[in-house]
Amino acid sequence: RKEVEQDPGPFNVPEGATVAFNCTYSNSASQSFFWYRQDCRKEPKLLMSVYSSGNEDGRFTAQLNRASQYISLLIRDSKLSDSATYLCVVNGFWHGQKLVFGTGTRLLVSP
Amino acid sequence: NAGVTQTPKFQVLKTGQSMTLQCAQDMNHEYMSWYRQDPGMGLRLIHYSVGAGITDQGEVPNGYNVSRSTTEDFPLRLLSAAPSQTSVYFCASRTGPLGNEKLFFGSGTQLSVL
């Protein structure tokens, strides 16, 4: 089983739609969780950290479910500019605190 | 601030050639790292450093060397390039090894080994 798993997609949604991605992680000792965004042929950039109580940043909401070992990202009112690959990232203490990246979920928002 | 500067952007090598990918950051970050990204796989850690003079291996270190003589610079050396090293390489830095510190990436190097 991969340490961090994501549905690769692509998720094709129209503008204005709500879309959600899930990511599962294998090690229950994981401490920190993040969503990164990567545009085509560009470097990843931090979208948001994921806190235990859940957190929101504008149209983006991140949730953590420790019992089921998954994190989620909800995007409301999708914009064309949201088209990108979303990477789930876990800080793995079992790796000496190195970050473990998922393969990413690709989102395509169409007019 | 320039952030993380990574060069070159593109490189083509022949099997057996050596080269160095340069990485520099001007944010005084202690933690720097090198990743490779291949289709269908997440970014994989090659080597990392928690400060000047300290380096350690990541998940896929074979065929690569690093050194950290200054806080700012963290070059990645390919000793004898192989086709399996064809990939996109990213350098990254952050303030420390723990917690929710943001990871800053360079713009990437697309490397092809023929």
Side-chain angles (χ1 to χ4, degrees), chain A residues 36 38 43-44 51 97-98, chain B residues 37 45 94 98 103 105-106:
Chain A
Y36 276 73
Q38 186 173 25
E43 71 274 20
Y51 301 119
Q97 301 156 15
K98 295 184 275 291
Chain B
Q37 187 174 34
L45 184 64
R94 57 178 171 169
L98 293 174
L103 198 65
F105 285 88

Side-chain angles (χ1 to χ4, degrees), chain B residues 49 51-55 68-70:
Chain B
S49 169
I54 306 169
T55 63
R68 185 91 180 272
S69 56
T70 66

